[in-house]
Amino acid sequence: MKIGYARVSTQDQKLNLQTDALSKAGCEKIFSDTASGAKDNRAGLIEAIEFCRAGDSLIVWKLDRLGRSLKHLIETINLLHNKKVGFVSLQESIDTTTSGGKLIFHVFGALAEFEREIIRDRTRAGLTAARSRGRLGGRPKALTARQIVMAKKLLADPNNRVQEICEQFKVSRSTLYRVCRLEKTLGK
């Protein structure tokens, strides 16, 4: 029996392309997930693997739909192999029921992992370059140092209401207290 598995990463994405291809490939049952490929705990994938019996084939539209890391891909394929279940990736023309398909699977998996590592390295290099130019990134501070000093003075005066101070600086009560407390613990 041919069992299909489809996955998209976000709710905005649609499964139609994958499910259409899996149906066209002859899948009698299709399982799906809306989750990142990096997550190990995907209910649809677990159900699909549990549903598979010896002699079945688990079919995906593309290799990266099964998993993001080479380690996870290999673990999943080995799990299927131990259950005597084949694996087929339609886009990469991989079929692990053949020796050539097993070789291709390992090569494609290694290349996909290599590509992700290159992307991570480029991202780290870009962040380092931005930091060296003084760009820190991240969320802007809620209050400037001058505003914190003013807020602390206003808070010290019992005639001022906390809600009015928050409205004046356009911050929430918890932000106001957190910022003032941080300044106090840092000795400012």
Side-chain angles (χ1 to χ4, degrees):
M1 178 179 203
K2 293 181 178 179
I3 293 108
Y5 174 70
R7 180 186 61 79
V8 290
S9 299
T10 66
Q11 295 288 343
D12 298 340
Q13 297 172 325
K14 304 291 180 218
L15 290 164
N16 300 350
L17 172 72
Q18 295 176 54
T19 54
D20 290 349
L22 293 170
S23 294
K24 188 176 177 184
C27 292
E28 298 172 46
K29 183 127 174 95
I30 298 174
F31 295 87
S32 65
D33 278 314
T34 301
S36 168
K39 291 189 177 184
D40 288 335
N41 190 13
R42 290 179 270 153
L45 179 59
I46 292 167
E47 286 179 53
I49 292 171
E50 288 175 357
F51 186 82
C52 290
R53 301 291 174 247
D56 290 347
S57 286
L58 180 66
I59 302 175
V60 295
W61 176 67
K62 199 171 179 188
L63 193 58
D64 67 354
R65 301 298 86 197
L66 187 65
R68 283 286 223 227
S69 72
L70 178 60
K71 179 182 178 239
H72 183 256
L73 286 170
I74 290 173
E75 285 173 359
T76 305
I77 299 302
N78 285 337
L79 176 64
L80 293 170
H81 178 74
N82 291 339
K83 288 183 72 164
K84 300 192 182 348
V85 173
F87 170 74
V88 177
S89 175
L90 299 175
Q91 289 296 302
E92 291 88 2
S93 299
I94 298 171
D95 184 350
T96 63
T97 60
T98 68
S99 56
K102 288 177 189 170
L103 172 66
I104 297 295
F105 166 73
H106 289 292
V107 170
F108 273 104
L111 290 173
E113 180 81 7
F114 177 69
E115 180 183 17
R116 281 188 297 282
E117 287 297 322
I118 287 174
I119 291 168
R120 276 189 209 115
D121 290 344
R122 284 188 201 137
T123 301
R124 284 188 203 118
L127 289 171
T128 301
R131 280 188 206 105
S132 70
R133 283 188 237 106
R135 300 199 69 194
L136 297 176
R139 190 173 184 168
K141 301 286 183 207
L143 297 174
T144 64
R146 186 171 168 219
Q147 288 175 320
I148 293 171
V149 170
M150 290 176 12
K152 287 168 77 173
K153 285 180 183 175
L154 291 171
L155 277 172
D157 184 350
N159 295 325
N160 293 323
R161 290 180 353 134
V162 174
Q163 186 60 36
E164 290 171 353
I165 298 169
C166 291
E167 288 171 4
Q168 180 180 347
F169 291 105
K170 297 183 174 102
V171 296
S172 68
R173 181 182 294 256
S174 60
T175 298
L176 180 67
Y177 285 135
R178 184 183 68 249
V179 168
C180 290
R181 186 176 56 242
L182 271 175
E183 289 292 307
K184 189 176 181 180
T185 58
L186 293 174
K188 295 181 180 177

